[in-house]
Amino acid sequence: MVWGKVVGALAGFAFMKWPGAILGVLIGHWFDRGMAQDFSQKGAWGRFLYGAEKAAGDANFIYTLFAVMGHVAKAKGKVTTSDIAQAQELMRRLNLSSDATREAQVAFREGKEPTFP
């Protein structure tokens, strides 16, 4: 693993020149070492595929997916019945439970709000 060191060095150099690059390499090394331990213990990005972490990740993904869909639909000016039908079809294809479907619908509505980030 070397990408943490490279990114750390570049970011550090951008902010503090050579002392920042050295500090960035050190922080990047710690990051790489931690990722290597995760890879060896759980296999690649396995930590995202187990237990409660997976459920939380799925919920975050579903919320983000449908909130962004709502935001993009509203960005066109008006949310059409076609936009809603597409979201419902995706919910069906993802085999969402009734609770997850309700949460996806709420996320879609929140994405349509003008205050959505």
mmCIF file with all atom_site columns, all heavy atoms in Angstrom, residues 93-105:
data_model
loop_
_atom_site.group_PDB
_atom_site.id
_atom_site.type_symbol
_atom_site.label_atom_id
_atom_site.label_alt_id
_atom_site.label_comp_id
_atom_site.label_asym_id
_atom_site.label_entity_id
_atom_site.label_seq_id
_atom_site.pdbx_PDB_ins_code
_atom_site.Cartn_x
_atom_site.Cartn_y
_atom_site.Cartn_z
_atom_site.occupancy
_atom_site.B_iso_or_equiv
_atom_site.pdbx_formal_charge
_atom_site.auth_seq_id
_atom_site.auth_comp_id
_atom_site.auth_asym_id
_atom_site.auth_atom_id
_atom_site.pdbx_PDB_model_num
ATOM 1   N N   . ARG A 1 93  ? -37.119 -3.097 -8.010  1.00 0.00 ? 93  ARG A N   1
ATOM 2   C CA  . ARG A 1 93  ? -35.974 -3.902 -8.461  1.00 0.00 ? 93  ARG A CA  1
ATOM 3   C C   . ARG A 1 93  ? -34.979 -4.183 -7.339  1.00 0.00 ? 93  ARG A C   1
ATOM 4   O O   . ARG A 1 93  ? -34.291 -5.198 -7.354  1.00 0.00 ? 93  ARG A O   1
ATOM 5   C CB  . ARG A 1 93  ? -35.255 -3.215 -9.607  1.00 0.00 ? 93  ARG A CB  1
ATOM 6   C CG  . ARG A 1 93  ? -36.010 -3.297 -10.895 1.00 0.00 ? 93  ARG A CG  1
ATOM 7   C CD  . ARG A 1 93  ? -35.202 -2.738 -12.021 1.00 0.00 ? 93  ARG A CD  1
ATOM 8   N NE  . ARG A 1 93  ? -35.940 -2.826 -13.256 1.00 0.00 ? 93  ARG A NE  1
ATOM 9   C CZ  . ARG A 1 93  ? -35.388 -2.752 -14.435 1.00 0.00 ? 93  ARG A CZ  1
ATOM 10  N NH1 . ARG A 1 93  ? -34.088 -2.577 -14.540 1.00 0.00 ? 93  ARG A NH1 1
ATOM 11  N NH2 . ARG A 1 93  ? -36.126 -2.840 -15.517 1.00 0.00 ? 93  ARG A NH2 1
ATOM 12  N N   . LEU A 1 94  ? -34.893 -3.263 -6.402  1.00 0.00 ? 94  LEU A N   1
ATOM 13  C CA  . LEU A 1 94  ? -33.997 -3.460 -5.258  1.00 0.00 ? 94  LEU A CA  1
ATOM 14  C C   . LEU A 1 94  ? -34.625 -4.369 -4.201  1.00 0.00 ? 94  LEU A C   1
ATOM 15  O O   . LEU A 1 94  ? -33.988 -4.669 -3.191  1.00 0.00 ? 94  LEU A O   1
ATOM 16  C CB  . LEU A 1 94  ? -33.615 -2.116 -4.630  1.00 0.00 ? 94  LEU A CB  1
ATOM 17  C CG  . LEU A 1 94  ? -32.717 -1.223 -5.477  1.00 0.00 ? 94  LEU A CG  1
ATOM 18  C CD1 . LEU A 1 94  ? -32.559 0.140  -4.814  1.00 0.00 ? 94  LEU A CD1 1
ATOM 19  C CD2 . LEU A 1 94  ? -31.369 -1.870 -5.702  1.00 0.00 ? 94  LEU A CD2 1
ATOM 20  N N   . ASN A 1 95  ? -35.873 -4.779 -4.412  1.00 0.00 ? 95  ASN A N   1
ATOM 21  C CA  . ASN A 1 95  ? -36.592 -5.644 -3.473  1.00 0.00 ? 95  ASN A CA  1
ATOM 22  C C   . ASN A 1 95  ? -36.604 -5.064 -2.061  1.00 0.00 ? 95  ASN A C   1
ATOM 23  O O   . ASN A 1 95  ? -36.313 -5.756 -1.079  1.00 0.00 ? 95  ASN A O   1
ATOM 24  C CB  . ASN A 1 95  ? -35.991 -7.057 -3.444  1.00 0.00 ? 95  ASN A CB  1
ATOM 25  C CG  . ASN A 1 95  ? -36.146 -7.774 -4.756  1.00 0.00 ? 95  ASN A CG  1
ATOM 26  O OD1 . ASN A 1 95  ? -37.176 -7.645 -5.416  1.00 0.00 ? 95  ASN A OD1 1
ATOM 27  N ND2 . ASN A 1 95  ? -35.124 -8.507 -5.146  1.00 0.00 ? 95  ASN A ND2 1
ATOM 28  N N   . LEU A 1 96  ? -36.934 -3.796 -1.970  1.00 0.00 ? 96  LEU A N   1
ATOM 29  C CA  . LEU A 1 96  ? -36.969 -3.147 -0.661  1.00 0.00 ? 96  LEU A CA  1
ATOM 30  C C   . LEU A 1 96  ? -38.165 -3.624 0.143   1.00 0.00 ? 96  LEU A C   1
ATOM 31  O O   . LEU A 1 96  ? -39.246 -3.854 -0.404  1.00 0.00 ? 96  LEU A O   1
ATOM 32  C CB  . LEU A 1 96  ? -37.039 -1.625 -0.832  1.00 0.00 ? 96  LEU A CB  1
ATOM 33  C CG  . LEU A 1 96  ? -35.875 -0.958 -1.549  1.00 0.00 ? 96  LEU A CG  1
ATOM 34  C CD1 . LEU A 1 96  ? -36.090 0.548  -1.596  1.00 0.00 ? 96  LEU A CD1 1
ATOM 35  C CD2 . LEU A 1 96  ? -34.556 -1.276 -0.858  1.00 0.00 ? 96  LEU A CD2 1
ATOM 36  N N   . SER A 1 97  ? -37.962 -3.764 1.445   1.00 0.00 ? 97  SER A N   1
ATOM 37  C CA  . SER A 1 97  ? -39.077 -4.099 2.330   1.00 0.00 ? 97  SER A CA  1
ATOM 38  C C   . SER A 1 97  ? -40.022 -2.903 2.382   1.00 0.00 ? 97  SER A C   1
ATOM 39  O O   . SER A 1 97  ? -39.702 -1.814 1.903   1.00 0.00 ? 97  SER A O   1
ATOM 40  C CB  . SER A 1 97  ? -38.555 -4.411 3.731   1.00 0.00 ? 97  SER A CB  1
ATOM 41  O OG  . SER A 1 97  ? -38.015 -3.242 4.317   1.00 0.00 ? 97  SER A OG  1
ATOM 42  N N   . SER A 1 98  ? -41.178 -3.090 3.003   1.00 0.00 ? 98  SER A N   1
ATOM 43  C CA  . SER A 1 98  ? -42.137 -1.978 3.075   1.00 0.00 ? 98  SER A CA  1
ATOM 44  C C   . SER A 1 98  ? -41.563 -0.813 3.881   1.00 0.00 ? 98  SER A C   1
ATOM 45  O O   . SER A 1 98  ? -41.764 0.346  3.527   1.00 0.00 ? 98  SER A O   1
ATOM 46  C CB  . SER A 1 98  ? -43.470 -2.446 3.658   1.00 0.00 ? 98  SER A CB  1
ATOM 47  O OG  . SER A 1 98  ? -43.276 -2.985 4.946   1.00 0.00 ? 98  SER A OG  1
ATOM 48  N N   . ASP A 1 99  ? -40.825 -1.113 4.963   1.00 0.00 ? 99  ASP A N   1
ATOM 49  C CA  . ASP A 1 99  ? -40.195 -0.046 5.745   1.00 0.00 ? 99  ASP A CA  1
ATOM 50  C C   . ASP A 1 99  ? -39.134 0.682  4.931   1.00 0.00 ? 99  ASP A C   1
ATOM 51  O O   . ASP A 1 99  ? -39.066 1.907  4.937   1.00 0.00 ? 99  ASP A O   1
ATOM 52  C CB  . ASP A 1 99  ? -39.561 -0.606 7.019   1.00 0.00 ? 99  ASP A CB  1
ATOM 53  C CG  . ASP A 1 99  ? -40.586 -1.034 8.050   1.00 0.00 ? 99  ASP A CG  1
ATOM 54  O OD1 . ASP A 1 99  ? -41.741 -0.554 7.973   1.00 0.00 ? 99  ASP A OD1 1
ATOM 55  O OD2 . ASP A 1 99  ? -40.236 -1.841 8.934   1.00 0.00 ? 99  ASP A OD2 1
ATOM 56  N N   . ALA A 1 100 ? -38.319 -0.081 4.222   1.00 0.00 ? 100 ALA A N   1
ATOM 57  C CA  . ALA A 1 100 ? -37.269 0.526  3.409   1.00 0.00 ? 100 ALA A CA  1
ATOM 58  C C   . ALA A 1 100 ? -37.874 1.342  2.265   1.00 0.00 ? 100 ALA A C   1
ATOM 59  O O   . ALA A 1 100 ? -37.348 2.399  1.901   1.00 0.00 ? 100 ALA A O   1
ATOM 60  C CB  . ALA A 1 100 ? -36.328 -0.543 2.868   1.00 0.00 ? 100 ALA A CB  1
ATOM 61  N N   . THR A 1 101 ? -38.997 0.877  1.726   1.00 0.00 ? 101 THR A N   1
ATOM 62  C CA  . THR A 1 101 ? -39.674 1.624  0.666   1.00 0.00 ? 101 THR A CA  1
ATOM 63  C C   . THR A 1 101 ? -40.174 2.956  1.196   1.00 0.00 ? 101 THR A C   1
ATOM 64  O O   . THR A 1 101 ? -40.012 3.995  0.539   1.00 0.00 ? 101 THR A O   1
ATOM 65  C CB  . THR A 1 101 ? -40.840 0.799  0.079   1.00 0.00 ? 101 THR A CB  1
ATOM 66  O OG1 . THR A 1 101 ? -40.306 -0.401 -0.478  1.00 0.00 ? 101 THR A OG1 1
ATOM 67  C CG2 . THR A 1 101 ? -41.595 1.561  -0.990  1.00 0.00 ? 101 THR A CG2 1
ATOM 68  N N   . ARG A 1 102 ? -40.762 2.944  2.385   1.00 0.00 ? 102 ARG A N   1
ATOM 69  C CA  . ARG A 1 102 ? -41.229 4.201  2.987   1.00 0.00 ? 102 ARG A CA  1
ATOM 70  C C   . ARG A 1 102 ? -40.057 5.154  3.223   1.00 0.00 ? 102 ARG A C   1
ATOM 71  O O   . ARG A 1 102 ? -40.154 6.350  2.964   1.00 0.00 ? 102 ARG A O   1
ATOM 72  C CB  . ARG A 1 102 ? -41.973 3.935  4.289   1.00 0.00 ? 102 ARG A CB  1
ATOM 73  C CG  . ARG A 1 102 ? -43.407 3.488  4.088   1.00 0.00 ? 102 ARG A CG  1
ATOM 74  C CD  . ARG A 1 102 ? -44.202 3.489  5.387   1.00 0.00 ? 102 ARG A CD  1
ATOM 75  N NE  . ARG A 1 102 ? -43.746 2.485  6.343   1.00 0.00 ? 102 ARG A NE  1
ATOM 76  C CZ  . ARG A 1 102 ? -44.082 1.200  6.301   1.00 0.00 ? 102 ARG A CZ  1
ATOM 77  N NH1 . ARG A 1 102 ? -44.868 0.763  5.341   1.00 0.00 ? 102 ARG A NH1 1
ATOM 78  N NH2 . ARG A 1 102 ? -43.641 0.364  7.198   1.00 0.00 ? 102 ARG A NH2 1
ATOM 79  N N   . GLU A 1 103 ? -38.944 4.613  3.704   1.00 0.00 ? 103 GLU A N   1
ATOM 80  C CA  . GLU A 1 103 ? -37.764 5.448  3.934   1.00 0.00 ? 103 GLU A CA  1
ATOM 81  C C   . GLU A 1 103 ? -37.222 6.005  2.621   1.00 0.00 ? 103 GLU A C   1
ATOM 82  O O   . GLU A 1 103 ? -36.788 7.162  2.560   1.00 0.00 ? 103 GLU A O   1
ATOM 83  C CB  . GLU A 1 103 ? -36.692 4.650  4.662   1.00 0.00 ? 103 GLU A CB  1
ATOM 84  C CG  . GLU A 1 103 ? -37.067 4.330  6.093   1.00 0.00 ? 103 GLU A CG  1
ATOM 85  C CD  . GLU A 1 103 ? -36.074 3.394  6.772   1.00 0.00 ? 103 GLU A CD  1
ATOM 86  O OE1 . GLU A 1 103 ? -34.982 3.157  6.209   1.00 0.00 ? 103 GLU A OE1 1
ATOM 87  O OE2 . GLU A 1 103 ? -36.397 2.908  7.865   1.00 0.00 ? 103 GLU A OE2 1
ATOM 88  N N   . ALA A 1 104 ? -37.254 5.211  1.562   1.00 0.00 ? 104 ALA A N   1
ATOM 89  C CA  . ALA A 1 104 ? -36.801 5.683  0.255   1.00 0.00 ? 104 ALA A CA  1
ATOM 90  C C   . ALA A 1 104 ? -37.717 6.792  -0.265  1.00 0.00 ? 104 ALA A C   1
ATOM 91  O O   . ALA A 1 104 ? -37.252 7.774  -0.846  1.00 0.00 ? 104 ALA A O   1
ATOM 92  C CB  . ALA A 1 104 ? -36.749 4.518  -0.732  1.00 0.00 ? 104 ALA A CB  1
ATOM 93  N N   . GLN A 1 105 ? -39.029 6.651  -0.031  1.00 0.00 ? 105 GLN A N   1
ATOM 94  C CA  . GLN A 1 105 ? -39.973 7.688  -0.452  1.00 0.00 ? 105 GLN A CA  1
ATOM 95  C C   . GLN A 1 105 ? -39.737 8.988  0.312   1.00 0.00 ? 105 GLN A C   1
ATOM 96  O O   . GLN A 1 105 ? -39.778 10.073 -0.266  1.00 0.00 ? 105 GLN A O   1
ATOM 97  C CB  . GLN A 1 105 ? -41.406 7.194  -0.260  1.00 0.00 ? 105 GLN A CB  1
ATOM 98  C CG  . GLN A 1 105 ? -41.789 6.089  -1.213  1.00 0.00 ? 105 GLN A CG  1
ATOM 99  C CD  . GLN A 1 105 ? -43.092 5.403  -0.833  1.00 0.00 ? 105 GLN A CD  1
ATOM 100 O OE1 . GLN A 1 105 ? -43.568 5.496  0.307   1.00 0.00 ? 105 GLN A OE1 1
ATOM 101 N NE2 . GLN A 1 105 ? -43.674 4.685  -1.790  1.00 0.00 ? 105 GLN A NE2 1
#
